[in-house]
Amino acid sequence: MISISTNNLAYRIGDREILGNISFSLEEGDRLAIVGVNGSGKSTLLRMIAGEAAPDEGEVYIAKNKIVGMLHQDDAFNIVDADGHAIPEDAPQDDTPSAASPVDRTVFGQMVAVFPELCRAEVRLAELQASLDSLAESAPPDTVTRLSAEYEALNARFIRDGGLYYKSRCKSILTNLGFGEEMWSRSVTTLSGGQRTRLALARLLSREPDILILDEPTNHLDLDTMVWLEGHLAAYPKTKTILLVSHDRLFLDRVTNKTLDIEHNRAKLYRAKYAEYAEMKKKDRAEAEKKYELQQREIARQEAYIEQQRRWGRERNIIAAESREKALARMEKLEKPKALPRSIRFTLTSSGESGNEVAEAKGLTMGFGSNILFRNLSFLVKKHDRLFIWGPNGCGKSTLIKLLLGQLEPLSGTIDFGYNVTVGYYDQENQNLDEDNTVLDELWNAYPTLTETEIRNTLALFLFRGQDIEKEVRVLSGGERARLTFAKLILSKMNLLILDEPTNHLDIESREALENALRAFDGTIIAVSHDRYFTRQLATRFIDLGDGGRDFRGGYDDYMAWREARGDNLPAVLNATVESVPKDEYAERKRSNAEKRRIEKRKAEIAREIARLEKKIADIDDLLFGEAATDYVRAAELTDEKTVTEDRLMQLYEEDEALAANGEAQNEE
């Protein structure tokens, strides 16, 4: 049964088209990932589906009686009353009419507030029970009957609608989203922005709308919470539909079964999860480019034939030329595939070799007041380590980063840096940006000795072009701020790079560019990240503050396998990222290497054959427009020979592309 469908949706801001001709449909139980670069219109599409934005063209169909719930990026949390209506945070608390109601401004009170009908029923049941208990034996029988009947009917509805377990459900979701019992009685007004967004997510999940729309739900979640959310969404009722925007590639793979790709203001639906979609899109693009190139070659060949026939000028030549012209006119011309959306591209330059011992922490103890984050933490960072600091939210990861940078002083212990160490730092909050600067001034003020051309060229690498460089920092989006911070970072020289959540606000393409730059960086990296794919690509060592500061040398999969072997109760979704080792690893590696050698040998043979055939075609063209130009019989023979040669050349091109794809797959293995 169709749950959602869109028909030719379009959305514009002034004369600029954001989205156009967006048409797709989802069935009940579909889990859709919406992907595209930052600014492609993903959030706008979600808002149109949720009814929060009106399309300029087209329409959205939502199946009858479906309840839609949406979580926005960094959702502003609305405090609601017992009837579910938003109230200002500074409004006086009304305690008199709803003193018995569980709804108040606490974390738990605001959770149960999304069930106003159950809250009202609970209050009324308590009132009825109190009235019945207080009745004297001499009370009129009709009064007892009336109150009893009302109580029984209301209690039946209360039980039917989930009244017996809605509070326990709220408590379970709060706990799993990082709100321990000690936080349930806290006022919402005391929560941070990230905590309020998580509470908004908790309220939405507890309500279980028929159509659940989530825009970047993994923001502000630590690893364990993110894994819980994956499992929760994977187990979401099969009659309900999920639409999801996220830049976490593993999260998308775990949760979704369809992918809507938005590119150049248009959308295409793939019936596949993210990893499969990425391969399908790559193949679709390669096929489209190949078909376009082949058609262009065929058009050029036909045009050359037409020109040749017209030069000969005989009647039958003119007839042949006109026949080919008509055939060309009837040909359905393929549109050249548009270039992929621009993505950031950059490299990181090392300031030179540091000593082998880059940084050493000895006996670090740190906390605030009575809250001690870690005690007696010691570790030594070696040159070329890619050390990732792990642990749940609140365990002190960012605090440890600030200690390494000298921004905080430990309660006890020391941190010493080795010989010739220069530090570069990426701050997840982008706090080192001046809100009053323009983008151009922000970079130029940091590096005043560079020319304007050098500054502009650097900004262009991070997609700041034209009027974008005149924007004030205060109006930049989270993604733009992240790109500007990276632009400042690459112009500095460092051999120790400290990164605090560097993938926050970056789209998938930008994350991949960052991964490539960090893999090529000839220095040492210390990072905090909740992005498992990013961690898996880079980590060679872990300090786990959630495990007493345990120091583990090895990659992501090695660490997960070690924790599983140790008996840690890892979530199944997390374990699924650990690939099994082949039974006969040596034989498998030997087979793989032999296959790679075969591919390389065949590619070299193909390259030589392609070069020979391309030269042959060029020689035939010289003859056709030279000595054979006036010899019809010879020209016909040469044209036939050219056709056969071109067909063989196309076969070699296709084989070469297939081998290249096979080689990439071998390398990934």
Side-chain angles (χ1 to χ4, degrees):
M1 177 179 173
I2 297 297
S3 175
I4 300 170
S5 68
T6 68
N7 181 38
N8 294 326
L9 283 186
Y11 190 87
R12 304 181 188 88
I13 298 178
D15 295 332
R16 185 165 68 95
E17 183 181 59
I18 305 299
L19 295 168
N21 196 29
I22 307 295
S23 298
F24 67 93
S25 62
L26 298 176
E27 297 178 353
E28 287 184 348
D30 276 343
R31 278 81 169 111
L32 178 72
I34 302 177
V35 300
V37 299
N38 284 343
S40 61
K42 303 185 295 295
S43 296
T44 299
L45 177 58
L46 291 183
R47 289 174 55 237
M48 286 194 289
I49 292 172
E52 297 179 0
D56 291 300
E57 293 176 14
E59 56 189 359
V60 176
Y61 165 79
I62 304 292
K64 189 176 180 180
N65 297 325
K66 296 292 185 183
I67 297 173
V68 179
M70 178 172 177
L71 177 80
H72 303 81
Q73 289 189 49
D74 300 318
D75 210 343
F77 187 91
N78 291 321
I79 296 177
V80 297
D81 60 19
D83 294 318
H85 301 134
I87 58 175
E89 294 197 14
D90 57 356
Q93 181 75 42
D94 185 4
D95 294 323
T96 50
S98 57
S101 171
V103 175
D104 55 29
R105 301 187 191 205
T106 65
V107 168
F108 185 72
Q110 286 299 295
M111 274 293 288
V112 298
V114 297
F115 299 94
E117 66 285 350
L118 292 178
C119 291
R120 288 193 297 271
E122 195 168 17
V123 171
R124 180 57 181 159
L125 285 170
E127 293 172 348
L128 289 170
Q129 185 64 58
S131 297
L132 287 168
D133 291 343
S134 65
L135 287 176
E137 292 184 4
S138 59
D142 61 334
T143 300
V144 176
T145 302
R146 177 177 55 79
L147 292 176
S148 297
E150 183 183 353
Y151 183 92
E152 290 175 3
L154 183 58
N155 190 53
R157 288 200 304 272
F158 182 73
I159 294 172
R160 181 198 66 194
D161 295 339
L164 297 181
Y165 58 81
Y166 82 101
K167 288 184 178 179
S168 61
R169 175 181 177 80
C170 289
K171 292 176 181 178
S172 174
I173 290 176
L174 279 174
T175 301
N176 283 299
L177 283 177
F179 294 97
E181 189 171 352
E182 72 282 357
M183 294 189 68
W184 296 352
S185 59
R186 276 183 59 179
S187 172
V188 169
T189 59
T190 67
L191 300 182
S192 67
Q195 289 172 326
R196 290 164 74 107
T197 300
R198 278 192 286 126
L199 185 55
L201 174 60
R203 289 204 306 193
L204 187 59
L205 293 177
S206 69
R207 192 63 176 170
E208 270 192 3
D210 301 301
I211 297 172
L212 179 63
I213 302 177
L214 302 174
D215 194 357
E216 291 289 357
T218 58
N219 287 353
H220 313 293
L221 302 185
D222 61 25
L223 180 61
D224 291 340
T225 307
M226 190 184 309
V227 171
W228 174 84
L229 180 60
E230 286 178 359
H232 185 83
L233 294 179
Y236 206 68
K238 300 304 180 185
T239 57
K240 300 176 184 285
T241 306
I242 299 174
L243 290 85
L244 172 68
V245 169
S246 175
H247 295 142
D248 188 308
R249 289 153 285 184
L250 286 181
F251 185 80
L252 293 178
D253 263 345
R254 303 283 183 255
V255 174
T256 63
N257 65 344
K258 291 182 180 179
T259 304
L260 186 73
D261 177 58
I262 300 180
E263 185 176 293
H264 298 301
N265 309 332
R266 299 295 185 267
K268 181 176 180 180
L269 182 65
Y270 290 82
R271 299 181 182 277
K273 62 179 64 177
Y274 178 80
E276 296 167 348
Y277 138 79
E279 289 302 315
M280 292 168 66
K281 181 180 179 181
K282 189 185 300 182
K283 290 178 181 177
D284 286 351
R285 183 171 184 84
E287 183 177 350
E289 289 175 343
K290 183 170 68 176
K291 286 181 177 179
Y292 175 79
E293 180 62 28
L294 289 173
Q295 187 182 70
Q296 291 301 303
R297 292 186 183 188
E298 176 62 17
I299 290 172
R301 191 169 72 87
Q302 295 292 350
E303 288 175 343
Y305 175 84
I306 292 167
E307 183 181 353
Q308 181 186 76
Q309 295 297 317
R310 288 197 177 281
R311 278 204 311 271
W312 288 340
R314 301 172 186 170
E315 182 179 355
R316 62 182 180 182
N317 301 130
I318 298 299
I319 293 173
E322 290 175 348
S323 175
R324 293 293 177 95
E325 285 178 333
K326 291 177 181 178
L328 273 181
R330 290 193 301 269
M331 180 186 292
E332 184 178 348
K333 305 297 190 299
L334 298 176
E335 183 178 348
K336 183 177 181 179
K338 294 181 179 179
L340 290 172
R342 290 172 175 172
S343 181
I344 65 173
R345 49 192 176 88
F346 64 100
T347 57
L348 294 162
T349 304
S350 172
S351 61
E353 289 288 320
S354 67
N356 190 50
E357 295 184 353
V358 175
E360 184 174 14
K362 294 180 181 178
L364 289 182
T365 296
M366 186 60 187
F368 302 93
S370 60
N371 180 26
I372 300 299
L373 297 173
F374 45 82
R375 295 180 185 273
N376 200 30
L377 178 66
S378 299
F379 57 89
L380 174 63
V381 181
K382 296 289 191 71
K383 183 169 65 175
H384 297 145
D385 273 351
R386 292 173 180 172
L387 171 65
F388 276 65
I389 302 170
W390 263 27
N393 284 344
C395 71
K397 300 186 296 296
S398 292
T399 299
L400 179 54
I401 291 290
K402 289 181 171 65
L403 290 174
L404 289 168
L405 293 166
Q407 296 176 356
L408 293 174
E409 289 292 328
L411 298 178
S412 64
T414 60
I415 297 174
D416 297 309
F417 288 93
Y419 170 74
N420 199 35
V421 173
T422 52
V423 179
Y425 171 52
Y426 177 86
D427 169 24
Q428 66 165 315
E429 301 297 336
N430 306 129
Q431 293 175 351
N432 295 322
L433 301 178
D434 188 330
E435 298 288 312
D436 296 324
N437 275 341
T438 65
V439 170
L440 179 65
D441 290 339
E442 180 67 26
L443 197 57
W444 211 347
N445 290 349
Y447 300 96
T449 60
L450 297 182
T451 67
E452 182 175 356
T453 299
E454 290 172 323
I455 294 294
R456 286 176 177 270
N457 287 343
T458 301
L459 289 172
L461 295 177
F462 290 86
L463 309 184
F464 291 107
R465 298 180 175 87
Q467 296 180 349
D468 288 341
I469 67 173
E470 300 301 331
K471 285 183 179 179
E472 289 187 347
V473 170
R474 71 177 69 255
V475 303
L476 297 182
S477 67
E480 289 171 325
R481 286 171 175 263
R483 286 189 273 122
L484 182 55
T485 301
F486 275 117
K488 292 178 68 175
L489 184 62
I490 69 164
L491 290 176
S492 64
K493 300 293 190 294
M494 79 295 286
N495 50 32
L496 171 59
L497 190 55
I498 298 179
L499 306 169
D500 191 4
E501 295 291 358
T503 60
N504 278 5
H505 305 295
L506 295 182
D507 57 32
I508 291 173
E509 289 75 10
S510 297
R511 292 183 184 206
E512 291 173 348
L514 175 61
E515 289 161 4
N516 292 334
L518 293 177
R519 275 198 295 264
F521 176 58
D522 186 26
T524 305
I525 297 172
I526 299 175
V528 171
S529 178
H530 291 143
D531 187 328
R532 289 161 296 166
Y533 192 95
F534 176 81
T535 304
R536 196 177 189 183
Q537 296 295 308
L538 295 167
T540 62
R541 184 180 170 194
F542 292 89
I543 297 289
D544 193 337
L545 297 182
D547 192 15
R550 180 174 295 279
D551 189 346
F552 180 89
R553 288 189 175 274
Y556 175 89
D557 289 348
D558 299 323
Y559 186 42
M560 290 299 105
W562 177 81
R563 286 184 62 182
E564 184 179 17
R566 191 180 68 166
D568 286 2
N569 186 25
L570 298 179
V573 173
L574 195 58
N575 287 343
T577 64
V578 182
E579 298 171 350
S580 60
V581 179
K583 293 182 180 179
D584 193 343
E585 187 174 349
Y586 173 76
E588 178 65 20
R589 187 161 57 247
K590 185 176 179 181
R591 182 204 64 77
S592 177
N593 290 338
E595 178 65 10
K596 289 178 182 177
R597 289 194 297 272
R598 184 194 70 79
I599 290 173
E600 292 304 317
K601 181 180 178 181
R602 180 56 185 154
K603 282 175 65 68
E605 292 172 351
I606 289 174
R608 289 193 294 270
E609 182 68 3
I610 285 175
R612 186 185 69 80
L613 293 179
E614 286 177 340
K615 183 178 184 306
K616 182 177 180 180
I617 291 172
D619 292 341
I620 291 174
D621 284 338
D622 290 341
L623 291 172
L624 283 172
F625 296 108
E627 63 185 52
T630 57
D631 186 341
Y632 175 75
V633 175
R634 176 62 174 151
E637 293 173 350
L638 289 171
T639 300
D640 290 341
E641 184 179 359
K642 180 180 178 181
T643 300
V644 172
T645 305
E646 286 178 335
D647 289 343
R648 175 56 181 157
L649 190 59
M650 290 301 103
Q651 293 175 357
L652 290 172
Y653 284 145
E654 292 176 3
E655 185 180 356
D656 188 53
E657 289 178 3
L659 288 172
N662 193 9
E664 289 178 3
Q666 290 284 328
N667 290 332
E668 290 175 1
E669 291 174 5

